Amino acid sequence: MENLFPVLPFRSELYTPAELFAGFSQDDPASYARTPDLLAYRSTLLPPNREVGMLRALHDQSITEQRTALLEGRKVVAVMGGHALGRDEPAYREVAALARTLTRAGFLVVSGGGPGAMEATHLGALLAGSGDLALDEAVGALAAVPRFPDTTGLVGPGGVFDVDVLAALHRWQRPAFALLDEVAAAGRGDSLAIPTWFYGHEPPTPFATCIAKYFSNPLREDGLLSIAVDGVVYAPGHAGTVQEIFQDASQNVYRVVDNRFSPMAFLDIDGCWSERLPVLPVLRELFGPDQYAESVLVTAERAEIAAFLGA
């Protein structure tokens, strides 16, 4: 049963990066295989049974309860975007700078907690007390390994880890942990990551202060959008981000969360949303012209997004 369910089913608090990455070493490329995070992912690939299914449901319920407690009285903005966004791309720094601005303004920023735009979100929140030079230096250090690797086959048949994939993943993870060691704990800004072991081949970012990790991806995905009652920012992304846009749109059309419409802000760098993936005409039709004009912003300027959400 330990191999099939290696984490506690009842939790009185959310995960921290230190807990999920316990055993990780910057000097050992195989060390991630010993962490509770990767062992939990491996457990989802082994043949399950009804007892394991029950434990996963209990675990996710307790995560939801602790997440709800954390958000009490907080202003929450979610940042959604592509997992493939490179650390060396201008949009990565823009997302980080925007998250830093929102954190400074008193918002708790949340994301799916993975790589790309999600990592940039938590980097910005982490450095809320730092200036542009520190942010530039941090992005530069991370960009030494700019692209998230192909982690296909990370866990093979029988739960065996692929050492080559582990090594490639470790090369990408290492700059983040090295950077985190340099940021004083007292100066770190708060953020909440909400990842899932359904996508366990994409490890959560250690830059988040709290991690609400789920076994159930649908529960996690719908819940992530539901808690962002103060707005959702859409950074450049692809199919997954498009799916989230229309999940959010559906919640807004039917006012399923406290009878509220959550503002939608599109960070339209290089025409991602206005040209490459033109989702806006559909949203205008769904919301109607007045609601669309009031609650949807499309811009490439992060200052405009911060002002829009603040208002």
Side-chain angles (χ1 to χ4, degrees):
M1 180 64 74
E2 182 179 353
N3 287 333
L4 288 175
F5 199 82
V7 294
L8 294 174
F10 297 102
R11 296 194 58 83
S12 58
E13 57 187 13
L14 297 176
Y15 291 104
T16 64
E19 181 180 0
L20 284 178
F21 290 108
F24 180 88
S25 169
Q26 296 180 42
D27 300 320
D28 182 0
S31 61
Y32 183 45
R34 299 190 290 271
T35 65
D37 185 61
L38 195 54
L39 292 174
Y41 172 53
R42 183 179 68 173
S43 75
T44 67
L45 304 178
L46 299 175
N49 55 47
R50 68 179 68 181
E51 288 79 11
V52 169
M54 178 187 67
L55 292 174
R56 289 176 184 170
L58 291 171
H59 170 276
D60 285 359
Q61 175 61 29
S62 68
I63 289 292
T64 296
E65 291 172 359
Q66 297 308 315
R67 183 204 69 193
T68 301
L70 174 71
L71 300 180
E72 184 70 29
R74 303 291 297 266
K75 296 188 298 180
V76 181
V77 168
V79 181
M80 321 300 275
H83 73 282
L85 184 64
R87 291 164 166 171
D88 59 347
E89 295 185 49
Y92 183 96
R93 190 196 183 282
E94 284 298 297
V95 172
L98 175 59
R100 182 182 61 172
T101 299
L102 293 172
T103 303
R104 288 173 174 175
F107 291 102
L108 178 69
V109 295
V110 303
S111 88
M118 295 170 282
E119 181 188 65
T121 297
H122 297 283
L123 173 65
L126 177 75
L127 299 178
S130 303
D132 286 348
L133 179 59
L135 180 60
D136 288 340
E137 290 176 345
V139 172
L142 292 170
V145 187
R147 300 286 169 182
F148 186 74
D150 181 2
T151 53
T152 303
L154 174 60
V155 182
V160 177
F161 296 112
D162 186 308
V163 294
D164 292 331
V165 178
L166 268 177
L169 184 56
H170 185 268
R171 283 193 294 272
W172 181 83
Q173 290 175 295
R174 184 175 179 178
F177 283 92
L179 174 63
L180 190 63
D181 287 344
E182 297 176 2
V183 180
R188 298 176 183 178
D190 292 337
S191 64
L192 171 64
I194 308 181
T196 170
W197 278 298
F198 181 78
Y199 295 123
H201 57 288
E202 297 180 1
T205 173
F207 296 147
T209 47
C210 294
I211 301 177
K213 193 153 191 177
Y214 284 85
F215 285 98
S216 168
N217 184 52
L219 183 62
R220 160 260 190 179
E221 206 165 59
D222 195 62
L224 173 55
L225 291 166
S226 295
I227 64 173
V229 294
D230 296 291
V232 181
V233 176
Y234 291 98
H238 200 56
T241 312
V242 171
Q243 175 183 328
E244 290 156 352
I245 288 170
F246 289 106
Q247 280 184 271
D248 188 19
S250 180
Q251 290 185 3
N252 280 334
V253 167
Y254 296 111
R255 304 296 200 278
V256 297
V257 181
D258 299 332
N259 199 32
R260 293 177 62 172
F261 191 113
S262 177
M264 302 175 73
F266 292 84
L267 185 59
D268 194 36
I269 295 175
D270 295 329
C272 176
W273 303 116
S274 58
E275 298 176 11
R276 185 165 60 86
L277 296 169
V279 300
L280 305 172
V282 180
L283 296 180
R284 189 180 293 108
E285 183 67 23
L286 286 172
F287 300 154
D290 293 340
Q291 184 71 71
Y292 181 89
E294 177 183 347
S295 302
V296 178
L297 176 70
V298 186
T299 179
E301 301 299 325
R302 65 175 184 270
E304 292 183 14
I305 291 179
F308 171 69
L309 296 176

